[in-house]
Amino acid sequence: MAMAMTSGAEEVRNKQVILKNYVSEKAEESDMHVTVSTLKLKVPQDSKAVVPLNGFGVAKILESGHPEFKEEEYSIITEPEQLFKIHHTDVPLSYYTGLLGMPGITAFVGFHEICSPKKGDYVFISAAAGAVGQLVGQFAKLMGCYVVGSVGSKEKVDLLKNKLGFDEAFNYKEEPDLEAALKRYFPEGIDIYYENVGGKMLDAVLLNMRRHGRIAVCGLISYYNLKQPQDFSNLVSIIYNRIRIEGFVVFDYFHLYPKFLDMVIPYIREGRIVYLEDIAEGLESAPAALVGLFSGRNIGNQVVLVAHE
């Protein structure tokens, strides 16, 4: 992605993935097209207008009017007004869209800052093979916790247990009774739940939380395309077991990025963290890669590689 930074606004001269239709339910590849243009990065007031997809990426600065970002330096793009300079170049640049980017600090904040983990805690993670979930599990293991993850395929179960070091994992699609499944893996209950999906899984978790348990609500992917809200049966457990539930938006915690790097960079260099990436080649593959996120087709952080340079 080539950037030309001006005093007024950043411009991106590159291929763009554009939403050509208003999407209110599950996205399809036909909702998107790839084009080449010069495009100012702004959000229109009309939600039905044709808009670019916002996201995170790694770019080479070709021209800059900003004193902190010189030509030929590499940066991670979060918002046009907010850039992080990359100082650690001894790791793959793609990590700055995942492990060292938004998914990484999201895992760090939700687990370490919101859930206040302790050694020996019982930790459950939904969507545990995703860009965030895989890191939460490894952070928990590094703290000496017992960790279980739920995923949507046998292949992902094997990855969690054999490559990422989870104590246990299960395929939620093969569990007709989620409450019983959680009871099987957590006979003494759950201390920490890192929430990525919502729905029936959250309802089952509430019955299996220990007293003073903590739930970090990172995402609710099962809700995003629902036409009717789902009813909950077990909300009273929040009162009885004194459960603390906190939602968060990672942009509120970007000031902790240096603290996050201080923790995770040594783990990477020592080989104590494994990071799974699902790399799609070329921007033309971006629509299919995006749609695959909603069906769980990806394994790990979904990256679209636009250029090898």
Side-chain angles (χ1 to χ4, degrees), residues 202-216:
L202 176 57
D203 211 26
V205 165
L206 290 175
L207 282 180
N208 284 276
M209 291 295 292
R210 302 178 79 180
R211 187 165 291 186
H212 300 294
R214 290 87 74 200
I215 299 177

Side-chain angles (χ1 to χ4, degrees), residues 25-68:
E25 297 183 13
K26 183 177 180 182
E28 302 289 346
E29 290 183 49
S30 59
D31 294 323
M32 292 164 270
H33 71 278
V34 179
T35 186
V36 179
S37 62
T38 297
L39 184 70
K40 282 191 175 182
L41 299 180
K42 63 180 182 179
V43 179
Q45 297 299 314
D46 181 3
S47 64
K48 295 183 182 293
V50 175
V51 297
L53 295 177
N54 293 327
F56 294 79
V58 176
K60 177 184 286 187
I61 302 297
L62 300 180
E63 180 182 342
S64 174
H66 194 288
E68 295 298 320

Side-chain angles (χ1 to χ4, degrees), residues 126-127 150 193-199 201-202 219-223:
S126 55
S150 68
Y193 174 43
Y194 198 99
E195 167 68 296
N196 288 307
V197 300
M201 184 65 79
L202 176 57
L220 297 170
I221 197 167
S222 71
Y223 280 87

Side-chain angles (χ1 to χ4, degrees), residues 270-306:
E270 295 164 10
R272 300 179 68 188
I273 285 183
V274 176
Y275 195 61
L276 303 178
E277 295 180 303
D278 195 327
I279 298 178
E281 291 274 351
L283 198 62
E284 290 77 9
S285 66
L290 175 62
V291 171
L293 293 173
F294 291 91
S295 62
R297 189 168 64 204
N298 64 301
I299 297 176
N301 185 39
Q302 181 68 68
V303 177
V304 176
L305 183 62
V306 178

Side-chain angles (χ1 to χ4, degrees), residues 146-208:
Y146 169 79
V147 181
V148 177
S150 68
V151 288
S153 71
K154 182 181 183 303
E155 178 187 12
K156 292 180 179 180
V157 168
D158 292 340
L159 280 171
L160 293 190
K161 295 173 65 174
N162 300 323
K163 190 164 187 176
L164 300 182
F166 282 55
D167 295 288
E168 292 290 349
F170 65 90
N171 180 355
Y172 70 90
K173 296 177 182 177
E174 297 179 349
E175 298 289 349
D177 186 337
L178 292 174
E179 181 187 339
L182 291 172
K183 183 69 69 177
R184 186 166 72 248
Y185 289 103
F186 293 97
E188 298 183 44
I190 300 167
D191 291 299
I192 291 173
Y193 174 43
Y194 198 99
E195 167 68 296
N196 288 307
V197 300
K200 294 180 180 179
M201 184 65 79
L202 176 57
D203 211 26
V205 165
L206 290 175
L207 282 180
N208 284 276

